[in-house]
Amino acid sequence: MQVFSFVAAGFEGHLIGVEVYIRRGIPAVDIVGLPDGAVREARERIRVAILQSGFQFPSGRILINMAPADIRKEGASFDLSLAVAVLVASGQITKKSDNELQDDKWLVLGELELSGRLRPVKGTLSAVSAALKGGIRKFLLPLDNCGEAISAGAVDIIPLSHLNELNDLLSMRNKPAQQCIQLKVKQNFEQPTSPDIKDLKGQAALKRALMVAAAGGHHMLLFGPPGSGKTLAATMLEGLLPDLEDDRSFEVSRIWSQAGKLGPGGGILRRPPFRAPHHSATLEGLIGGGIQISPGEISLAHGGVLFLDETPEFQGRILQCLREPLESGKVTIVRAGKSYWYPSDFQLLMAANPCPCGNMGRGDSVCICSPLEVSRYWKKIGGALMDRIDIRMPVDTVKAEVLLTRSSESSADLRVKIDEAVRRQKRRYAPIGIHRNRSLTGAMIQEFCPLSKELQDYFALMARKIGFSSRACHSVLKVARTIADLAEHEQIQQEDLEEAGQYRRYGDSSLFWNEG
């Protein structure tokens, strides 16, 4: 039985071979192969767990090698692989037939308690995917991680809840894994229900902007006085987004598995994630990294939405670090000469007050902020990041009598139109491998967003009057393409272009609330 484990390295990882050599000598356990503190401590955990599970711990000198030796091994997920390798080397695991078990390659993951009970570990989805790619077809895993293994495509799985079950389970390993653990597997990750857009009273223009943003995946800024409904509207965007495609769903689930957020039973995320970190978040928390490299919020939001409420309150350097992931769809983290990467193709949604005191634009209040203070407030976001925001939507307060009315359209109603627009985009962009209008480059815009001669003249006049930059012009055309898809227009029409231009009015030269 050849025992393998797994160590994550960003979104990818490495299979780790575990070898054990037992010789006569003073009893001791040596682990080599660049283990960290948690792996070195496993010597004591596996010794007690093996004894508590009814096995004998070898009395000789034990050398455990973890190869490749130049890759650092971190975490407690190696416990079970070390224990199994020791039991195989000491001849305590029953062989089903001559040499059958000896020649098999097994991926073994799990953290051991001193009692021998197994704890689930993070990153099972990535580990099983890497093992299948590396030709490993047999898996020995904690019971709570088997759902992730099945989701990754594994079939020959032995679920284990205690080390003392090892011999019995190995002897019946031809039993299909689905029969062993069918009661424990969650096929889909259970995500909380998002608010319905029918609960957003009034705000017809805001609802329309949210619909356009959801259909095209466009980045969006909501700004307005406190209490105007920015945060409530932002949380409703999640309910408008279409379900994740299979390949994107698997990518997102792998990231959440590595972060340990899938929970017992595993499962696959089918709905786009919605992440809303607090403005006190650190750089490592938002971007990723840390002592043990782990995905940050921008990777946990992959395929979904990253919502930054009170955006100017975030640290400036953190906001500026979002620029490259917004362009490339991934984040690269460099540590001690090694490079790690995670996918981070997310939709950025920001919310902010119009000024530091929040009263600009409120008819019943007085703004006490000077123009210089307002300018400094908005400079915290930075022009380079703001330039990547396609839709900038002012949000005004709603009158009391409007709050008592009923809304006719729900999120489910709007999603019918959004899903159809998304399907149109998928068919159009299938040959070039992108999913949404947001991802169009300058060269692609020329091909997929053509304008008639009359519209070209109209667009040039609009750009001059409002003062659009080159990036802003591309942004308006991408949003216009989305509006045309919602209206089922084969070509962009003037009304599509006019609406898209209105979404880009604020932010390039002025963010003043009541600008004409």
Side-chain angles (χ1 to χ4, degrees):
M1 180 178 186
Q2 300 179 51
V3 178
F4 290 85
S5 191
F6 178 82
V7 60
F11 188 63
E12 304 293 341
H14 307 282
L15 292 173
I16 303 299
V18 181
E19 305 169 302
V20 173
Y21 177 68
I22 303 175
R23 61 184 175 87
R24 295 166 61 181
I26 299 174
V29 179
D30 298 313
I31 302 178
V32 297
L34 212 57
D36 74 343
V39 179
R40 288 193 295 270
E41 289 173 355
R43 292 177 297 190
E44 304 306 321
R45 286 195 297 271
I46 66 172
R47 183 195 303 273
V48 177
I50 285 175
L51 293 173
Q52 294 278 48
S53 301
F55 295 101
Q56 296 294 318
F57 194 82
S59 59
R61 189 88 179 184
I62 302 174
L63 176 64
I64 302 176
N65 179 45
M66 306 177 75
D70 61 337
I71 296 173
R72 187 166 184 80
K73 288 67 176 190
E74 300 175 333
S77 62
F78 294 97
D79 288 5
L80 183 59
S81 60
L82 299 180
V84 170
V86 168
L87 293 175
V88 170
S90 58
Q92 297 185 67
I93 290 185
T94 304
K95 298 180 182 179
K96 192 165 180 284
S97 62
D98 291 342
N99 296 323
E100 179 183 349
L101 208 57
Q102 189 69 28
D103 296 332
D104 286 345
K105 293 182 178 180
W106 290 74
L107 179 73
V108 183
L109 300 173
E111 178 184 348
L112 280 168
E113 297 179 1
L114 295 183
S115 64
R117 195 170 299 277
L118 266 294
R119 288 176 175 267
V121 295
K122 299 188 294 185
T124 302
L125 207 56
S126 295
V128 173
S129 299
L132 291 172
K133 189 182 295 185
I136 298 175
R137 297 291 180 267
K138 298 177 175 62
F139 303 91
L140 184 61
L141 304 170
L143 186 60
D144 286 336
N145 287 132
C146 289
E148 296 179 52
I150 289 178
S151 300
V155 176
D156 196 349
I157 307 170
I158 291 184
L160 200 63
S161 57
H162 197 286
L163 192 60
N164 62 14
E165 303 169 356
L166 194 56
N167 263 329
D168 292 338
L169 288 172
L170 282 173
S171 65
M172 53 185 288
R173 68 183 181 84
N174 286 332
K175 187 176 182 181
Q178 283 80 356
Q179 294 181 20
C180 297
I181 57 177
Q182 59 183 349
L183 298 179
K184 294 289 185 178
V185 174
K186 296 186 294 186
Q187 293 301 320
N188 296 322
F189 178 79
E190 297 175 2
Q191 294 167 274
T193 305
S194 58
D196 198 294
I197 203 167
K198 68 181 179 182
D199 297 326
L200 185 64
K201 308 301 183 182
Q203 304 283 20
L206 177 56
K207 292 178 181 178
R208 172 65 178 178
L210 288 170
M211 184 178 176
V212 173
H218 301 290
H219 308 306
M220 188 176 189
L221 166 69
L222 305 177
F223 64 99
S228 57
K230 305 184 298 295
T231 303
L232 176 63
T235 57
M236 292 174 177
L237 179 63
E238 179 185 6
L240 299 178
L241 298 175
D243 289 340
L244 295 170
E245 297 179 347
D246 289 344
D247 56 344
R248 181 57 60 91
S249 174
F250 189 69
E251 289 177 356
V252 175
S253 301
R254 278 187 61 175
I255 297 170
W256 278 55
S257 173
Q258 289 189 15
K261 295 186 178 296
L262 286 182
I268 291 290
L269 277 79
R270 297 297 181 185
R271 293 291 301 149
F274 185 93
R275 304 296 297 177
H278 190 261
H279 58 74
S280 62
T282 63
L283 182 64
E284 288 78 12
L286 197 66
I287 305 300
I291 297 175
Q292 292 188 355
I293 302 296
S294 60
E297 290 293 330
I298 65 172
S299 295
L300 292 171
H302 178 63
V305 177
L306 178 69
F307 173 47
L308 304 183
D309 201 4
E310 304 293 345
T311 305
E313 301 302 325
F314 282 79
Q315 296 180 37
R317 70 189 188 104
I318 291 180
L319 294 178
Q320 300 316 308
C321 285
L322 297 177
R323 288 154 50 186
E324 289 80 8
L326 286 176
E327 293 292 325
S328 64
K330 69 177 183 178
V331 60
T332 302
I333 302 166
V334 179
R335 293 287 186 275
K338 292 188 177 181
S339 179
Y340 308 89
W341 72 277
Y342 290 102
S344 56
D345 185 12
F346 58 92
Q347 183 175 356
L348 180 61
L349 177 58
M350 303 192 297
N353 294 330
C355 66
C357 77
N359 288 329
M360 183 183 293
R362 297 182 80 164
D364 57 347
S365 303
V366 177
C367 176
I368 60 174
C369 305
S370 67
L372 181 59
E373 288 174 327
V374 175
S375 177
R376 285 175 177 170
Y377 178 75
W378 282 102
K379 279 185 178 179
K380 293 179 181 179
I381 297 180
L385 179 60
M386 183 68 74
D387 205 29
R388 289 163 170 80
I389 306 302
D390 297 331
I391 298 176
R392 296 93 178 272
M393 191 67 194
V395 183
D396 207 348
T397 52
V398 177
K399 295 180 180 179
E401 54 267 25
V402 177
L403 296 175
L404 301 177
T405 62
R406 291 181 177 271
S407 299
S408 57
E409 284 191 312
S410 66
S411 294
D413 296 330
L414 296 184
R415 272 186 63 183
V416 173
K417 302 175 184 177
I418 292 169
D419 288 347
E420 178 56 36
V422 171
R423 283 192 288 269
R424 291 169 68 91
Q425 294 171 61
K426 290 177 181 177
R427 289 194 298 266
R428 183 190 307 128
Y429 304 133
I432 59 176
I434 66 173
H435 301 276
R436 311 286 280 280
N437 290 326
R438 181 189 75 211
S439 303
L440 289 172
T441 63
M444 295 174 186
I445 288 173
Q446 286 188 325
E447 180 180 356
F448 295 106
C449 304
L451 300 179
S452 64
K453 181 62 173 66
E454 294 77 11
L455 273 187
Q456 289 179 20
D457 296 337
Y458 175 81
F459 181 60
L461 178 62
M462 177 197 297
R464 284 197 301 270
K465 288 186 67 175
I466 303 180
F468 287 155
S469 65
S470 298
R471 190 191 295 272
C473 289
H474 285 163
S475 175
V476 170
L477 290 172
K478 289 189 288 186
V479 175
R481 179 67 268 176
T482 299
I483 296 170
D485 288 333
L486 286 168
E488 300 185 2
H489 296 159
E490 290 300 325
Q491 300 295 328
I492 296 174
Q493 306 296 315
Q494 181 170 333
E495 58 266 30
D496 306 329
L497 208 54
E498 288 174 348
E499 183 179 350
Q502 289 298 313
Y503 292 139
R504 187 72 190 204
R505 283 186 62 205
Y506 298 93
D508 288 338
S509 59
S510 173
L511 267 167
F512 191 69
W513 174 253
N514 57 4
E515 182 188 15

